[in-house]
Amino acid sequence: MMKRKLVPDVVKSQELILVTEDTSVLTVSKLMAEKNIGAVLVVNHGDLVGIVTERDLNNKVLSTQIDAFETEVSAIMTRNPDTLSPDADAIEALTLMQSKHYRHLPITQGKRAVGIVSIRDLFKLAYEHLVEEVEFRDGLMRT
């Protein structure tokens, strides 16, 4: 299970939402709601410079009552986030996300943002693996 590469085994086809640092927090929040996603990557000419998550919106915007229309995403994003390459395996992602309490992890090729893996993606993979194990074990028990 965990030897599967992040791309394409875990993160298959995804519509990657990228914004620039001068995008308003309100625009980012609306994008996340519209696309039903928990994080957006922030880029400068394609190079990853930050990530904005639901947690950022809650902790740095809603709870502080800053003006989401006036505030640029650069003010609330997590700068220079940890990343993994597309050929990293699922266990590397899970280990990093678990140890740092991340729910989203950018995938980069060099400095270029190419994807994002969520804890939900990894949970789905683990679930599928467990189901396959149970089905395999049950199949052995029947023979």
Side-chain angles (χ1 to χ4, degrees):
M1 172 198 94
M2 291 304 179
K3 281 295 174 202
R4 296 189 188 163
K5 300 295 181 201
L6 289 182
V7 177
D9 300 329
V10 181
V11 177
K12 294 170 178 61
S13 59
Q14 73 178 188
E15 180 187 4
L16 188 57
I17 309 297
L18 305 173
V19 299
T20 56
E21 294 175 87
D22 61 354
T23 306
S24 79
V25 168
L26 182 62
T27 298
V28 170
S29 180
K30 285 181 175 180
L31 259 175
M32 289 169 67
E34 177 187 315
K35 303 290 184 183
N36 195 27
I37 55 176
V40 171
L41 300 181
V42 185
V43 296
N44 185 343
H45 301 291
D47 290 350
L48 181 71
V49 293
I51 185 172
V52 179
T53 66
E54 294 165 314
R55 192 176 287 162
D56 291 323
L57 292 176
N58 185 60
N59 296 350
K60 299 174 185 173
V61 181
L62 290 173
S63 62
T64 61
Q65 299 179 341
I66 66 169
D67 186 333
F69 179 75
E70 291 290 329
T71 306
E72 292 183 352
V73 79
S74 61
I76 68 153
M77 70 183 187
T78 301
R79 290 184 178 278
N80 305 313
D82 288 334
T83 65
L84 287 175
S85 68
D87 62 351
D89 60 43
I91 197 72
E92 289 176 76
L94 198 55
T95 301
L96 183 58
M97 293 169 84
Q98 204 283 324
S99 67
K100 302 276 188 94
H101 306 288
Y102 298 149
R103 288 183 284 191
H104 300 89
L105 192 61
I107 302 169
T108 54
Q109 190 88 54
K111 293 181 179 182
R112 194 145 305 266
V114 296
I116 188 166
V117 63
S118 72
I119 200 70
R120 189 182 299 134
D121 298 327
L122 294 169
F123 173 80
K124 182 175 183 266
L125 184 68
Y127 174 80
E128 289 167 358
H129 179 71
L130 289 171
V131 167
E132 287 169 9
E133 266 189 12
V134 168
E135 288 171 351
F136 178 74
R137 186 189 67 221
D138 289 353
L140 288 177
M141 293 175 135
R142 280 193 217 104
T143 56

